[in-house]
Amino acid sequence: MPATPNSSLKDSRTRLNSEFGQSTSPPAKPYLRGRFAPSPSGPLHFGSLVAAVGSYLIAKFYGAEWQVRIEDIDPPREIEGAADTILRQLEAFGLHWDGPIVYQSESIPRFHEILEELKRKDLLYACDCTRKKISKLSDDGRYPNICQNKKLSFDGEVAWKLRHGEGSYHFYDHIQGDCEFDSSLYQEDFTVKRKDGLMAYQLAVVVDDIDAGIDHVVRGIDLLDSTPRQLRLYEVLDKPAPLWYHLPLAINQDGNKLSKQNHAEAIDSQHPSQQLHQAIAFLGQKPPVSLRNEPPEIIIDWAIEHFSLESIPQQQQIPYFD
């Protein structure tokens, strides 16, 4: 993973708190809204339950709203009925959202507006490179920015790339501490519109978070190295970045993260209490054993009341064997 959380995380937190006034206690500015943003490519599994529970607890501990956004802008990966399944799973586990469900596909006209704005500012260019061509030209698999001066047409089967910035885009994570990156990551121009015409994740998530007023982002650490690219988008859109919280990943006995691609088993909506208890314990919150058989709402209420951000493990991966 190119992103490297500082190995001395507690020292890092202390230093950054002193230098920048950042704290692991409730921030001085009030939280407005957090979110959980699953893609409808299958039901939630234990790893995605951890992300949902973590984002929910952090939002509710700080008195913020918790929004659910279905990221349905990649039709080839979507499974019919998955969005409804996910929503029913969240309800069964006592994770009740504030406001209406947001569907990312409804924002596609907005994404096009942003792309045109960036194009007018000469921050975008077209790229017709194939993966095979990039792999031949790049030792590390990163895009070598070879189309930035070609002035290719934006029409046709081309990717739209955002020019990289001049900053380092290191950032402070409220779980992982000071996060530093290899310069090759933030000096790589990255895709904001795909060759197939679909919106790229980086652009869609930032624009949606800005428009929804999301001021804290809680997600798995597998998305840690997306953060510098997203910080670049906040920079070019002239908007303040949110606070970041990256949770450790649940991995299986083979050392792979639990994911839909790895055929992770769906969480059991008919008997949610035990897995909800496990997810809260995975996040270092030490719920009493006596809560295991209580209704999900009771378990969630306990977790909010006793929540400790400092207790979330400052790790990238934690084994989970059901």
Side-chain angles (χ1 to χ4, degrees):
M1 182 179 293
T4 307
N6 193 300
S7 59
S8 179
L9 292 168
K10 290 185 178 179
D11 291 346
S12 171
R13 284 186 175 191
T14 300
R15 176 176 61 79
L16 286 165
N17 290 348
S18 173
E19 291 180 6
F20 302 115
Q22 301 202 56
S23 172
T24 57
S25 59
K29 79 178 184 103
Y31 276 18
L32 297 176
R33 188 173 295 118
R35 48 79 166 172
F36 175 59
S39 61
S41 54
L44 301 180
H45 50 77
F46 183 78
S48 45
L49 176 64
V50 167
V53 169
S55 64
Y56 185 88
L57 293 181
I58 289 174
K60 294 305 174 183
F61 181 73
Y62 292 133
E65 293 180 359
W66 187 69
Q67 182 186 87
V68 170
R69 181 173 72 226
I70 302 296
E71 300 201 330
D72 58 341
I73 58 168
D74 194 354
R77 295 182 61 242
E78 294 168 19
I79 294 177
E80 185 176 357
D84 287 341
T85 297
I86 289 169
L87 297 177
R88 300 295 80 78
Q89 288 176 312
L90 293 174
E91 289 182 324
F93 279 76
L95 301 171
H96 303 296
W97 52 88
D98 299 299
I101 299 296
V102 176
Y103 290 88
Q104 194 168 58
S105 57
E106 296 176 354
S107 297
I108 289 176
R110 172 69 170 149
F111 302 150
H112 283 291
E113 288 178 8
I114 295 296
L115 287 172
E116 291 302 318
E117 175 187 334
L118 297 177
K119 192 162 62 168
R120 286 194 300 272
K121 294 178 179 178
D122 194 31
L123 291 169
L124 303 183
Y125 62 87
C127 168
D128 62 359
C129 294
T130 62
R131 291 184 180 180
K132 184 176 181 180
K133 180 178 180 179
I134 292 171
S135 66
K136 284 183 178 180
L137 295 173
S138 173
D139 294 332
D140 59 5
R142 297 201 181 282
Y143 175 65
N145 304 342
I146 55 177
C147 291
Q148 61 180 243
N149 296 316
K150 289 184 178 179
K151 300 188 183 303
L152 299 174
S153 170
F154 285 96
D155 298 325
E157 194 173 326
V158 292
W160 294 22
K161 298 283 187 178
L162 177 68
R163 301 181 190 278
H164 71 268
E166 299 303 322
S168 65
Y169 305 105
H170 300 335
F171 67 95
Y172 180 75
D173 186 272
H174 284 258
I175 295 172
Q176 302 298 332
D178 189 17
C179 295
E180 300 180 356
F181 299 84
D182 186 276
S183 61
S184 65
L185 177 66
Y186 52 80
Q187 291 176 357
E188 176 190 22
D189 298 339
F190 60 90
T191 299
V192 289
K193 184 181 179 184
R194 294 168 19 180
K195 273 189 175 184
D196 58 10
L198 297 177
M199 296 299 136
Y201 164 77
Q202 308 292 3
L203 178 90
V205 71
V206 168
V207 173
D208 273 346
D209 282 348
I210 289 171
D211 288 352
I214 302 299
D215 58 359
H216 60 288
V217 170
V218 183
R219 57 192 183 187
I221 202 170
D222 54 327
L223 290 169
L224 191 73
D225 60 4
S226 287
T227 311
R229 294 171 178 175
Q230 292 170 14
L231 287 170
R232 171 60 175 159
L233 279 162
Y234 279 100
E235 179 180 65
V236 299
L237 295 174
D238 195 26
K239 299 294 182 182
L243 302 178
W244 307 99
Y245 300 75
H246 286 86
L247 303 168
L249 294 181
I251 59 171
N252 61 23
Q253 58 188 0
D254 298 323
N256 298 316
K257 77 167 185 174
L258 299 186
S259 68
K260 298 166 188 174
Q261 290 81 3
N262 291 330
H263 309 292
E265 186 177 348
I267 52 177
D268 185 0
S269 298
Q270 300 302 312
H271 305 91
S273 294
Q274 183 173 349
Q275 280 193 309
L276 178 60
H277 188 280
Q278 289 174 325
I280 292 168
F282 184 93
L283 292 168
Q285 303 304 298
K286 297 182 174 57
V289 175
S290 59
L291 280 178
R292 273 188 189 175
N293 297 316
E294 294 292 340
E297 284 76 13
I298 298 296
I299 301 174
I300 288 290
D301 285 347
W302 180 93
I304 295 171
E305 182 179 353
H306 296 86
F307 179 73
S308 166
L309 182 64
E310 290 84 354
S311 296
I312 297 177
Q314 296 174 325
Q315 297 172 231
Q316 296 198 14
Q317 301 176 337
I318 299 175
Y320 170 76
F321 309 132
D322 190 4

